[in-house]
Amino acid sequence: MRLVFLGPPGVGKGTQAERLSKHYRIPHIATGDILRKAMADKTPVGLEAKSFIDAGKLVPDEVIINIIRERLKEPDTKSGYVLDGFPRTLHQAEALSRTLEQRHEEIDRVLYFELGEEELVRRIAGRRSCPSCQKIYHTTFNPPPKEGSCTCGTALIQRKDDRPETVKERLAVYRNETSPLIEYYKKQGRLSQIDANESVDAVAERVQDAILQNKSS
Ligand code: AP5
Ligand code: MG
């Protein structure tokens, strides 16, 4: 099963992708997580990406497309994957389509998560992440068992790009550069719209429904 998770910052893509990836035993490929790890490791890609991420801008397409091309070469992608946060521009979507064509593969479904801006901001403001295993928490909606600490024992952090002024920019970038992908995938008949304004469990059920519906159609 090959899936794309599309939607604005803070909508819950990472939260749902993490669950789905465990359930179906397919890798969760999140460009944001890959870039944050590259920044922490101070690799050339990480150093290049840092100024874009800190400003809430998109990292240049060619950098991202290369990351995905390399990641898709790993053997664990044979039985499928969930792409979280990629593609994010039309150029990236077209590059993905070309890469998949060469592999004789197709995206089965694009799940588009929808939520109002006020709630997005509330989710982002309370988000805490594990820099080690990437697990995502929320101070109110999904608190860790021990305050400030991941179940893996690592101290939780607040993402630097979750500062209010950066969030504003990320939302604008999403509207201008990423939202055209909704129409792009709708035209291809691959899009399922998910109302994300429910609990994590309820949204997970909608995700399952969308996938199962696709399998039976
Ligand atoms: P990235 O890391 O992909 O960030 P994003 O798309 O902005 O999305 P988020 O990770 O902020 O939100 P999410 O939808 O995953 O929500 P989450 O599950 O965490 O990208 C970061 C940066 O990297 C970009 O700005 C860009 O610079 C660069 N980048 C990445 N990919 C790129 C690309 N393809 N091209 C160019 N640049 C790229 O949930 C949010 C919070 O809500 C959590 O606290 C969670 O616990 C809580 N929550 C989740 N679901 C629910 C629910 N149902 N009810 C209540 N709370 C919930
Ligand atoms: Mg995420």
Side-chain angles (χ1 to χ4, degrees):
M1 185 173 30
R2 290 176 286 271
L3 301 169
V4 165
F5 278 13
L6 178 67
V11 74
K13 302 181 296 295
T15 303
Q16 295 298 332
E18 184 189 313
R19 283 195 172 205
L20 199 84
S21 131
K22 277 196 192 122
H23 186 84
Y24 287 104
R25 298 197 187 146
I26 53 173
H28 168 198
I29 303 178
T31 38
D33 289 346
I34 294 172
L35 292 168
R36 281 183 288 277
K37 174 148 194 328
M39 285 199 299
D41 294 345
K42 296 196 164 62
T43 67
V45 164
L47 294 172
E48 184 180 355
K50 190 177 179 337
S51 59
F52 294 98
I53 294 180
D54 287 353
K57 307 267 188 215
L58 292 183
V59 171
D61 282 340
E62 296 317 318
V63 175
I64 296 289
I65 290 165
N66 245 334
I67 288 176
I68 288 292
R69 268 198 204 123
E70 289 307 308
R71 181 61 185 86
L72 290 180
K73 285 181 189 160
E74 299 288 324
D76 65 343
T77 61
K78 284 220 163 65
S79 51
Y81 38 82
V82 44
L83 297 178
D84 160 10
F86 177 89
R88 243 173 160 102
T89 62
L90 283 171
H91 188 70
Q92 291 181 16
E94 280 156 8
L96 174 65
S97 155
R98 282 193 297 276
T99 301
L100 295 186
E101 227 172 271
Q102 284 160 9
R103 292 162 60 101
H104 308 290
E105 288 178 0
E106 270 188 34
I107 289 296
D108 296 306
R109 210 74 205 145
V110 176
L111 270 52
Y112 159 48
F113 296 85
E114 211 192 5
L115 188 65
E117 278 200 11
E118 209 176 299
E119 188 59 26
L120 290 173
V121 168
R122 198 171 302 142
R123 287 188 184 179
I124 291 174
R127 170 166 48 200
R128 299 294 180 271
S129 323
C130 176
S132 169
C133 73
Q134 321 285 351
K135 206 167 160 47
I136 306 158
Y137 298 91
H138 190 282
T139 47
T140 311
F141 307 131
N142 182 24
K146 189 171 158 239
E147 204 190 319
S149 187
C150 183
T151 44
C152 78
T154 310
L156 296 175
I157 55 153
Q158 200 166 4
R159 271 168 48 180
K160 211 175 154 196
D161 62 342
D162 281 353
R163 286 181 298 208
E165 63 280 13
T166 317
V167 170
K168 232 170 130 188
E169 178 63 23
R170 284 164 60 201
L171 289 168
V173 167
Y174 172 77
R175 278 194 299 271
N176 296 333
E177 301 189 49
T178 307
S179 68
L181 292 182
I182 299 166
E183 214 37 54
Y184 175 86
Y185 283 119
K186 201 187 261 176
K187 275 194 190 137
Q188 295 185 4
R190 293 180 208 272
L191 196 84
S192 293
Q193 193 160 327
I194 309 271
D195 177 2
N197 198 14
E198 288 285 354
S199 67
V200 173
D201 287 343
V203 176
E205 265 181 47
R206 287 179 181 169
V207 168
Q208 286 291 352
D209 288 349
I211 292 169
L212 295 175
Q213 238 172 31
N214 181 51
K215 274 190 173 164
S216 64
S217 63

